[in-house]
């Protein structure tokens, strides 16, 4: 299934994309795409519905983030060896973990706000993993049993805030609008191999990123297992798994986002995003 949330910010309703690409409203059956509705049992209830009986959503509504109630937005740094090389960093011997504030989460086509004082706002297309069943001390072999599905994430980053100011990366990753998520939560049964998905990103029509999840250093199963050794992962938590090469910081000379720029990105089978940048 391709699950989504549609409507005005703060008033999104759950829905799904039918076989003809039309949005069907789920709100008579599902409170929101959060909590128990992301569990295997909840997803099975949604899958058992007669899609043709669900109301069609008229027009072209705004899409919100494809998951609600996210408690943790966990990101993995330098998880593509070719991206590490372009930033001048070495491949880490263990996954690099940092957190992105959940207040950064927005819809896939919402504007990106260039924060005040920004010098180096950058882009990163990433594969998002949405947890569906609590994971604590799980093995790599059982890790994917705890995944509800996958989505597209733009891990927007302010590099000067991230690496040239004191402290950790969080403040360069957590600005408002820095977490476009969606358009859909694609359930794992529709993703044959999360480690073989094409990924791309353009700015103003120029393709900067053109990679694949197969070049991840640490794959999805490893990351879920690894993270679960340090913290429980709960339904609605998001893991953003790193980006392939082609970020603005890696260009020579560097290229960073400015007001008016248009970003488009996508992952094979998971849909596309489009954002316009505006000054905060």
């Amino acid at each position: 299934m391709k699950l989504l949330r549609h409507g005005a910010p703060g008033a999104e309703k759950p829905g799904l994309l039918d076989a003809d690409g039309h949005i069907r409203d789920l709100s008579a059956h599902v409170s929101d795409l959060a909590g128990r509705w992301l569990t295997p049992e909840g997803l099975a209830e949604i899958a058992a519905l007669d899609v043709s009986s669900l109301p069609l959503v008229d027009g072209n509504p705004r899409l919100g983030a494809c998951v609600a109630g996210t408690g943790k937005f966990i990101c993995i740094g330098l998880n593509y060896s070719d991206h590490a090389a372009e930033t001048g960093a070495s491949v880490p011997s263990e996954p690099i973990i940092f957190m992105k504030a959940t207040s950064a989460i927005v819809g896939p086509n919402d504007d990106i706000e260039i924060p005040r004082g920004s010098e180096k706002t950058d882009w990163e297309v990433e594969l998002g993993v949405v947890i569906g069943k609590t994971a604590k001390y799980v093995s790599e072999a059982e890790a994917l049993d705890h995944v509800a599905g996958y989505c597209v994430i733009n891990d927007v980053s302010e590099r000067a805030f991230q690496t040239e100011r004191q402290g950790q990366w969080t403040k360069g990753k957590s600005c408002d609008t820095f977490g476009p998520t969606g358009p859909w939560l694609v359930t794992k049964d529709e993703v044959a191999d999360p480690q073989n998905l094409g990924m791309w990103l353009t700015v103003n029509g120029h393709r900067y990123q053109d990679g694949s999840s197969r070049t991840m250093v640490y794959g999805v199963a490893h990351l879920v297992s690894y993270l679960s050794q340090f913290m429980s992962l709960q339904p609605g938590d998001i893991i953003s798994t790193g980006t392939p090469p082609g970020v603005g910081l890696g260009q020579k000379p560097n290229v960073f986002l400015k007001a008016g720029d248009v970003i488009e990105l996508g992952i094979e089978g998971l849909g596309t995003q489009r954002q316009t940048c505006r000054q905060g």
Side-chain angles (χ1 to χ4, degrees):
M1 296 181 290
K2 293 180 174 66
L3 302 173
L4 54 87
R5 299 171 67 248
H6 61 95
E12 294 93 345
K13 296 179 178 180
L16 59 76
L17 202 69
D18 69 18
D20 297 318
H22 299 132
I23 296 175
R24 300 275 183 164
D25 186 69
L26 282 170
S27 57
H29 304 274
V30 175
S31 56
D32 207 346
L33 296 177
R36 83 168 196 87
W37 291 107
L38 300 173
T39 67
E41 297 77 16
L43 293 175
E45 286 186 48
I46 297 173
L49 295 172
D50 176 9
V51 174
S52 64
S53 71
L54 299 172
L56 281 166
V57 177
D58 294 332
N60 186 29
R62 171 191 173 269
L63 297 181
C66 60
V67 61
T70 296
K72 294 188 287 296
F73 195 165
I74 308 167
C75 300
I76 309 300
L78 303 175
N79 196 31
Y80 288 70
S81 56
D82 34 13
H83 169 59
E86 75 173 344
T87 62
S90 57
V91 174
S93 59
E94 292 186 52
I96 292 176
I97 303 170
F98 62 92
M99 307 295 274
K100 200 175 182 85
T102 56
S103 56
I105 297 173
V106 290
N109 304 313
D110 290 344
D111 288 351
I112 287 175
E113 180 180 302
I114 307 295
R116 295 179 186 179
S118 169
E119 301 172 1
K120 300 179 179 180
T121 297
D122 204 346
W123 57 82
E124 295 187 11
V125 59
E126 302 203 2
L127 172 64
V129 179
V130 177
I131 298 299
K133 183 171 72 170
T134 298
K136 185 173 183 177
Y137 301 125
V138 300
S139 68
E140 193 165 335
E142 63 186 346
L144 296 187
D145 295 339
H146 297 262
V147 172
Y150 303 94
C151 63
V152 181
I153 290 174
N154 188 357
D155 176 20
V156 186
S157 311
E158 212 300 337
R159 304 299 188 189
F161 296 177
Q162 177 188 354
T163 62
E164 298 171 22
R165 306 276 293 271
Q166 291 296 314
Q168 300 174 344
W169 289 2
T170 304
K171 63 178 174 287
K173 296 283 191 171
S174 295
C175 303
D176 292 350
T177 75
F178 271 25
T181 301
W184 318 309
L185 168 59
V186 181
T187 51
K188 65 183 177 184
D189 58 294
E190 292 197 10
V191 180
D193 183 2
Q195 303 307 149
N196 191 28
L197 301 175
M199 312 165 68
W200 59 272
L201 182 145
T202 69
V203 180
N204 300 328
H206 178 82
R207 184 165 290 211
Y208 284 97
Q209 292 189 275
D210 196 354
S212 171
S213 61
R214 67 175 174 269
T215 66
M216 277 186 192
V217 177
Y218 301 105
V220 172
H222 181 87
L223 291 173
V224 172
S225 174
Y226 181 84
L227 290 166
S228 79
Q229 310 307 309
F230 303 101
M231 65 192 84
S232 62
L233 304 176
Q234 296 151 343
D237 286 351
I238 299 170
I239 306 169
S240 198
T241 58
T243 196
V247 300
L249 183 66
Q251 308 304 309
K252 301 187 186 314
N254 295 162
V255 178
F256 296 114
L257 295 166
K258 61 186 184 302
D261 285 348
V262 175
I263 310 167
E264 296 180 273
L265 60 148
I267 298 179
E268 181 183 354
L270 304 185
T272 61
Q273 301 184 354
R274 185 182 191 274
Q275 298 115 24
T276 300
C277 298
R278 59 179 172 82
Q279 185 59 51

